[in-house]
Amino acid sequence: MTVMSIARFERFFRAAAGLDVDKNDLKRYSDFVDTKLYDLLTVAQATAKANGRDIVRTWDLPITKGLQESIHRFREIDEEVELEPILEQLATHPALDRTPDEETEAAYPEIIGGLSLALAKSFKILHPDLKNPQTQHWDEARAVFDLLL
């Protein structure tokens, strides 16, 4: 990731939840994004299959009310931070049995943005005074997301 991308990543977490993250957090963040996008796509794939389709559509993704709200808030923050172009690079997924359509793939950056905002907020819910997340904090937040998504 370029220095400019790292700066945007840092700015996003400051704007989203007042957190100071650094380039060392990027690997944890990237792993989180990869895993959660894959989890969402796995469920979407099952939904498409259950509906007799070979293509995953946007509405197959299990987007909860809370995640939808986080996506909307991400859009507002992203106008200032401009993180979405970077998220497009992160929005990859392994081969699936069902292929996502173009509209679904185009939604990945905003979905990742919503997940990112929810992640940042979850740090503050779990540890209200937290300023700089450490490995333990990342592990706790990830465990919550694993439980719910």
Side-chain angles (χ1 to χ4, degrees):
M1 197 174 269
T2 66
V3 173
M4 189 165 98
S5 298
I6 294 169
R8 285 184 186 175
F9 168 76
E10 292 170 344
R11 222 170 53 219
F12 170 77
F13 274 85
R14 261 192 306 280
L19 296 170
D20 292 325
V21 295
D22 56 37
K23 65 180 182 179
N24 296 326
D25 291 313
L26 283 177
K27 173 73 172 123
R28 285 177 265 218
Y29 172 71
S30 180
D31 289 346
F32 171 82
V33 165
D34 288 345
T35 301
K36 290 301 117 196
L37 181 60
Y38 181 74
D39 290 350
L40 290 171
L41 288 169
T42 300
V43 173
Q45 179 177 262
T47 301
K49 183 178 181 179
N51 288 306
R53 284 185 277 104
D54 291 333
I55 295 174
V56 172
R57 306 252 187 224
T58 307
W59 57 81
D60 294 325
L61 292 163
I63 306 295
T64 63
K65 177 182 176 276
L67 181 52
Q68 186 64 49
E69 290 172 359
S70 291
I71 291 168
H72 289 300
R73 284 194 303 270
F74 166 75
R75 289 177 186 145
E76 295 168 8
I77 291 173
D78 193 48
E79 288 179 18
E80 173 190 331
V81 178
E82 298 178 358
L83 191 65
E84 189 169 336
I86 296 163
L87 297 182
E88 288 175 9
Q89 297 169 11
L90 294 175
T92 60
H93 62 82
L96 301 167
D97 292 341
R98 305 282 189 266
T99 305
D101 65 9
E102 288 180 21
E103 181 181 334
T104 303
E105 288 184 339
Y108 292 172
E110 285 190 340
I111 293 168
I112 292 170
L115 286 168
S116 301
L117 182 72
L119 173 66
K121 296 285 189 186
S122 72
F123 285 127
K124 289 301 221 176
I125 291 169
L126 294 170
H127 301 279
D129 298 328
L130 184 66
K131 292 293 180 200
N132 187 347
Q134 301 300 309
T135 302
Q136 159 201 346
H137 304 116
W138 283 92
D139 292 346
E140 290 172 359
R142 187 177 193 131
V144 170
F145 277 83
D146 288 346
L147 181 65
L148 298 173
L149 291 180

